[in-house]
């Protein structure tokens, strides 16, 4: 178990170090500047020793002034190098942070729907923003401070040993105890910092959800209830942070005690060595100066310990996201340009990831076989939970099948690249998502290189162009976050314009008009009929009046396809479809 943990830690360090590679020139320059600063610090006590032992007692004014000028030059050099370290060193950290955020964002674009089903948006945001901010600080200060500390400790030991080896050994004998103390507290610090990170993510997730649902909470006057839920999450964060600071309190107070004891040992042991004549005045003064430098790297390590814990905890959480399996792609995908739209479901079975495989009742779709010919409009109807929407999500491979196969034009969709498959499929859902931007940008999402003429033509086909032209800024009107400045019908028509622009071979309409009023639904229905013409169209609908003209209606239950035919044929069967239809129009 211990070897496995060590192997994991080494792997994490190598992974972290790999992000320095693109910026290695700047990073090594930063370390070189830090090295020169450390040498300057090590040089100063030796000059002080010579001044005290030689130049002042012997009244050597010339050498006193020369070495004073040398010290002034060293200080000016240090100031310039410290500026470089502070500025460009932080730039290295920022660039590494940016690279990690870029990699995480690109990786998330390739993650399956199941990951986002199970992970809160606020948690993802916390990992991408908060965690990576701490990693940025660690990326700059961590290697630099460790490097400086090693240089100062080794350099101090060499310089001190030149003055008196035995006194140096006495002082350095304390170091193993300092290291042991830090190692013993490391696990507690790591656990508390990880818990703090998790609670921060929970608070962020709750805030994101609460803001997104602010209209609902206001409508239902549940502000007090929302405040209570937030307070609970906030209290858990405060408790976790308190535990982290308690562990830090032990660490900092313990390390402070060791530093004070070390200084006391220097004064007592150095005083005794001076008393017995084993060191002189200048050596004792140099010794005290070197001990100050010796304590500096220890103090630096103490100060960055919280940063190291924060940064490595954040990097661990970053790696957890990066290690999530991406959507799989075939090794040698079948090259696809334009699909015709012949869709076949062959004994398809599906259950969601968190379902119990042993529980047959958890299966959303079981042994589904269905043929949809190209250019036909097929409507899927049936009770809730029958798997209609899930079936639509399986066609573009948003989820992976557990059993059977789906083929389009005779090709198993698992043999196609997801890109080729999805660019041949257009979707209009009930819950329309618009990006925070202009109407033009949202329509152009269907074809990013579309011309203004193509965008306008798509808007006309979606019956939204005339409305857009009544707005002061026309196509450059901002829609607001999630399209909040537009009505449901306007958002729906923009999403339809997107699909017109995409011009796919297969169209999926998932409850596209169920959230709209009857008048708006009639207007949009015209656009949808225009959009469906000449394409393979799959329509999911609860309002049976909207699918009466479909080429075929398929009635689904948890047992699979129970009926299929035209509207008139299904009514004539006097079975489930007729009962659903009669129930909707019972008045």
């Amino acid at each position: 178990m211990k070897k496995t943990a060590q192997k994991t830690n080494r792997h994490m360090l190598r992974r972290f170090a790999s992000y320095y590679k693109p910026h290695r020139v700047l990073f090594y320059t930063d370390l070189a500047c830090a090295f020169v600063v450390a040498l300057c610090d090590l040089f100063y006590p030796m000059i002080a020793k010579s001044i005290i032992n030689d130049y002042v007692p012997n009244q050597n004014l010339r050498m006193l002034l020369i070495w004073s000028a040398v010290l002034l030059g060293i200080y000016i050099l240090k100031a310039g190098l410290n500026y470089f370290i502070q500025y460009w060193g932080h730039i290295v950290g920022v660039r590494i942070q940016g690279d990690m955020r870029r990699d995480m964002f690109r990786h998330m674009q390739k993650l399956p729907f199941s990951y986002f089903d199970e992970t809160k948006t606020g948690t993802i945001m916390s990992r991408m923003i908060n965690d990576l901010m701490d990693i940025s600080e660690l990326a700059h200060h961590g290697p630099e401070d460790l490097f400086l500390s090693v240089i100062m400790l080794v350099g101090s030991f060499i310089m001190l040993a030149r003055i008196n080896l035995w006194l140096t050994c006495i002082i350095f004998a304390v170091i193993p105890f300092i290291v042991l103390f830090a190692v013993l507290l490391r696990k507690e610090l790591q656990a508390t910092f990880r818990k703090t990170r998790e609670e921060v993510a929970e608070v962020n997730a709750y805030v994101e959800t609460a803001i997104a649902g602010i209209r609902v909470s206001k409508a239902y006057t549940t502000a007090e209830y929302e405040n209570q839920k937030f307070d609970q999450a906030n209290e858990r964060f405060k408790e976790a942070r308190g535990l982290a600071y308690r562990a830090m309190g032990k660490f900092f107070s313990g390390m402070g005690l060791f530093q004070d004891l070390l200084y006391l040992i220097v004064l007592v042991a150095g005083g005794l060595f001076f008393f017995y004549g084993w060191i002189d005045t200048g050596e004792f003064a140099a010794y005290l100066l070197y001990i100050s430098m010796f304590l500096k790297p220890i103090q630096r390590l103490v100060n960055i310990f919280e940063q190291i814990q924060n940064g490595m905890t954040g990097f661990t959480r970053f790696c957890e996201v990066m290690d999530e399996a991406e959507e799989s792609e075939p090794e040698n995908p079948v090259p696809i340009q334009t699909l015709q739209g012949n869709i076949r479901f062959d004994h398809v079975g599906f259950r969601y990831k968190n379902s119990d495989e042993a529980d047959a009742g958890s299966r959303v779709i079981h042994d589904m076989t269905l043929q949809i010919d190209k250019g036909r409009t097929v409507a899927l109807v049936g009770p809730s939970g029958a798997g209609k929407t899930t079936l639509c999500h399986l066609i573009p491979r948003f989820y992976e099948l557990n059993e059977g196969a789906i083929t389009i034009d005779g090709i198993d969709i698992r043999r196609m690249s997801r890109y080729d498959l999805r660019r041949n499929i257009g979707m209009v859902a009930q819950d329309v998502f618009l990006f925070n931007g202009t109407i033009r940008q949202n329509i152009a999402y269907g074809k990013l290189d579309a011309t203004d003429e193509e965008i306008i033509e798509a808007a006309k086909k979606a019956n939204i162009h005339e409305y857009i032209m009544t707005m002061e800024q026309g196509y450059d009107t901002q829609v607001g976050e999630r399209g909040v400045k537009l009505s449901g019908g306007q958002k729906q028509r923009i999403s339809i314009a997107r699909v017109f622009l995409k011009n796919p071979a297969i169209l999926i309409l998932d409850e596209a008009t169920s959230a709209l009023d009857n008048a708006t639904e009639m207007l949009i229905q015209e656009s949808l009929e225009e959009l469906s013409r000449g394409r393979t169209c799959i329509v999911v609908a609860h309002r049976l009046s909207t699918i009466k003209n479909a080429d075929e209606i398929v009635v689904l239950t948890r047992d699979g396809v129970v009926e299929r035919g035209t509207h008139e044929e299904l009514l004539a069967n006097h079975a489930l479809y007729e009962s659903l239809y009669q129930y909707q129009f019972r008045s």
Side-chain angles (χ1 to χ4, degrees):
M1 183 69 74
K2 189 175 180 180
K3 287 183 178 179
T4 304
Q6 289 174 347
K7 189 176 179 181
T8 302
N9 289 336
R10 284 197 300 269
H11 173 69
M12 290 286 287
L13 286 173
R14 284 197 300 269
R15 199 167 176 179
F16 186 72
S18 67
Y19 278 94
Y20 285 91
K21 192 173 182 180
H23 316 290
R24 57 185 179 275
V25 173
L26 192 56
F27 174 65
Y28 290 141
T29 305
D30 178 60
L31 288 185
C33 290
F35 178 72
V36 174
V37 168
L39 290 181
C40 291
D41 287 336
L42 290 171
F43 195 53
Y44 165 65
M46 298 306 294
I47 297 175
K49 174 192 166 188
S50 298
I51 289 173
I52 293 171
N53 277 351
D54 185 2
Y55 310 145
V56 173
N58 296 323
Q59 297 183 342
N60 192 339
L61 182 60
R62 179 173 174 275
M63 292 303 295
L64 176 64
L65 293 176
I66 288 173
W67 283 106
S68 297
V70 169
L71 279 177
L72 178 60
I74 288 173
Y75 294 152
I76 293 172
L77 176 63
K78 274 182 61 180
L81 293 174
N82 280 324
Y83 171 79
F84 185 93
I85 291 168
Q86 285 298 313
Y87 177 59
W88 288 106
H90 278 101
I91 292 296
V92 171
V94 169
R95 289 179 180 177
I96 288 174
Q97 176 194 16
D99 291 348
M100 288 181 178
R101 185 172 290 120
R102 174 204 63 208
D103 290 350
M104 183 186 284
F105 186 83
R106 280 164 171 63
H107 181 67
M108 285 196 298
Q109 297 292 319
K110 300 176 183 177
L111 292 180
F113 267 42
S114 56
Y115 175 79
F116 300 100
D117 291 342
E118 297 165 13
T119 310
K120 299 172 185 174
T121 304
T123 300
I124 296 172
M125 293 298 295
S126 181
R127 295 194 182 208
M128 183 170 280
I129 304 300
N130 296 16
D131 291 358
L132 293 187
M133 284 292 290
D134 289 327
I135 293 172
S136 173
E137 286 299 299
L138 175 62
H140 168 220
H141 291 292
E144 180 187 294
D145 285 348
L146 287 172
F147 177 73
L148 276 174
S149 298
V150 169
I151 294 296
M152 293 299 292
L153 286 172
V154 173
S156 297
F157 179 82
I158 293 171
M159 293 298 188
L160 289 170
R162 290 180 62 191
I163 297 172
N164 190 290
L165 180 61
W166 292 109
L167 182 57
T168 304
C169 290
I170 292 171
I171 294 164
F172 270 77
V174 181
I175 290 181
F177 295 100
I178 297 175
V179 173
L180 179 63
F181 176 76
V183 169
L184 290 175
L185 279 182
R186 177 177 170 271
K187 284 187 178 179
E188 183 181 355
L189 280 162
Q190 199 169 28
T192 54
F193 274 95
R194 182 175 182 84
K195 182 65 176 174
T196 300
R197 284 278 165 217
E198 290 170 355
E199 294 303 336
V200 167
E202 284 298 312
V203 170
N204 287 344
Y206 179 75
V207 170
E208 192 275 336
T209 303
I211 292 173
I214 193 72
R215 289 168 179 77
V216 176
S217 63
K218 283 182 178 293
Y220 284 86
T221 61
T222 56
E224 189 59 36
Y225 172 69
E226 292 298 326
N227 289 339
Q228 289 175 3
K229 287 203 297 182
F230 176 80
D231 288 344
Q232 290 172 1
N234 204 30
E235 285 300 319
R236 288 197 300 271
F237 163 73
K238 286 158 62 178
E239 182 180 346
R241 197 63 179 164
L243 291 173
Y245 280 126
R246 185 170 70 181
M248 282 172 55
K250 294 179 188 176
F251 178 79
F252 281 109
S253 59
M255 293 298 284
L257 177 60
F258 276 116
Q259 290 182 66
D260 291 340
L261 289 175
L262 193 60
Y263 204 75
L264 179 62
I265 289 169
V266 171
L267 287 174
V268 174
L272 289 172
F273 274 55
F274 179 76
F275 180 79
Y276 288 108
W278 297 335
I279 56 175
D280 58 31
T281 307
E283 288 173 335
F284 189 34
Y287 220 97
L288 291 174
L289 290 172
Y290 274 122
I291 285 303
S292 297
M293 292 182 184
F294 175 72
L295 290 173
K296 191 184 294 183
I298 296 177
Q299 184 64 47
R300 181 182 284 119
L301 289 173
V302 171
N303 290 337
I304 69 165
F305 206 80
E306 178 186 4
Q307 192 177 76
I308 290 172
Q309 289 300 318
N310 260 328
M312 289 313 295
T313 302
F315 186 69
T316 301
R317 286 161 55 79
F318 164 79
C319 289
E320 286 173 0
V321 176
M322 297 301 293
D323 290 339
E324 287 286 338
E326 297 179 356
E327 291 181 315
S328 60
E329 291 284 6
E331 287 187 14
N332 299 300
V334 177
I336 300 294
Q337 291 301 318
T338 303
L339 293 170
Q340 297 299 310
N342 289 296
I343 305 173
R344 178 170 176 78
F345 296 84
D346 191 7
H347 299 286
V348 168
F350 176 77
R351 63 169 58 82
Y352 284 102
K353 189 176 179 181
N354 56 359
S355 300
D356 183 1
E357 292 189 15
D359 180 12
S362 70
R363 289 180 295 196
V364 181
I365 299 172
H366 173 61
D367 199 27
M368 168 78 69
T369 298
L370 179 66
Q371 175 71 40
I372 302 174
D373 295 329
K374 69 172 184 177
R376 289 173 64 81
T377 296
V378 175
L380 305 178
V381 300
S384 296
K388 302 182 295 296
T389 296
T390 300
L391 203 65
C392 293
H393 286 170
L394 292 177
I395 298 172
R397 287 186 72 192
F398 291 156
Y399 299 98
E400 291 290 4
L401 299 176
N402 298 116
E403 304 162 6
I406 299 175
T407 62
I408 301 179
D409 300 343
I411 306 170
D412 192 320
I413 59 173
R414 288 170 292 196
R415 294 179 58 209
M416 306 177 191
S417 74
R418 292 178 192 264
Y419 175 81
D420 284 344
L421 172 64
R422 290 172 184 172
R423 68 187 176 86
N424 277 280
I425 299 172
M427 298 190 74
V428 180
Q430 172 185 345
D431 183 19
V432 177
F433 187 93
L434 297 186
F435 294 90
N436 190 10
T438 65
I439 292 175
R440 184 193 312 278
Q441 290 168 337
N442 273 280
I443 294 177
Y445 216 75
K447 183 183 176 185
L448 295 177
D449 60 350
T451 64
D452 286 349
E453 291 74 16
E454 289 174 319
I455 292 171
I456 292 169
E457 181 62 25
K460 287 179 177 177
K461 289 179 178 177
N463 289 323
I464 189 69
H465 172 72
E466 291 183 6
Y467 172 76
I468 294 172
M469 296 311 294
T470 64
M471 305 176 85
E472 186 175 344
Q473 293 179 302
Y475 282 85
D476 293 319
T477 301
Q478 294 286 331
V479 302
E481 188 175 11
R482 296 173 184 257
V484 70
K485 296 181 180 180
L486 302 176
S487 70
Q490 290 158 2
K491 289 193 290 185
Q492 193 64 279
R493 278 182 275 183
I494 287 174
S495 73
I496 292 170
R498 274 181 192 165
V499 182
F500 268 118
L501 202 55
K502 187 176 184 180
N503 193 27
I506 299 168
L507 179 64
I508 297 173
L509 305 176
D510 186 5
E511 300 285 354
T513 61
S514 62
L516 306 176
D517 61 83
N518 290 334
T520 305
E521 181 188 20
M522 288 177 63
L523 287 172
I524 289 180
Q525 197 63 40
E526 294 176 11
S527 301
L528 293 176
E529 288 173 5
E530 170 68 19
L531 181 60
S532 304
R533 194 168 294 122
R535 310 176 201 274
T536 301
C537 186
I538 301 172
V539 183
V540 176
H542 278 116
R543 291 187 187 177
L544 301 186
S545 59
T546 62
I547 48 94
K548 287 195 296 184
N549 296 327
D551 296 318
E552 186 175 32
I553 298 172
V554 177
V555 183
L556 297 178
T557 68
R558 280 188 171 270
D559 297 322
V561 178
V562 294
E563 288 184 88
R564 60 188 303 174
T566 63
H567 173 70
E568 291 76 14
E569 289 169 348
L570 292 177
L571 286 180
N573 285 346
H574 304 297
L576 179 58
Y577 180 81
E578 186 201 24
S579 65
L580 292 171
Y581 188 81
Q582 294 297 339
Y583 180 78
Q584 280 197 12
F585 298 99
R586 62 190 182 279
S587 59

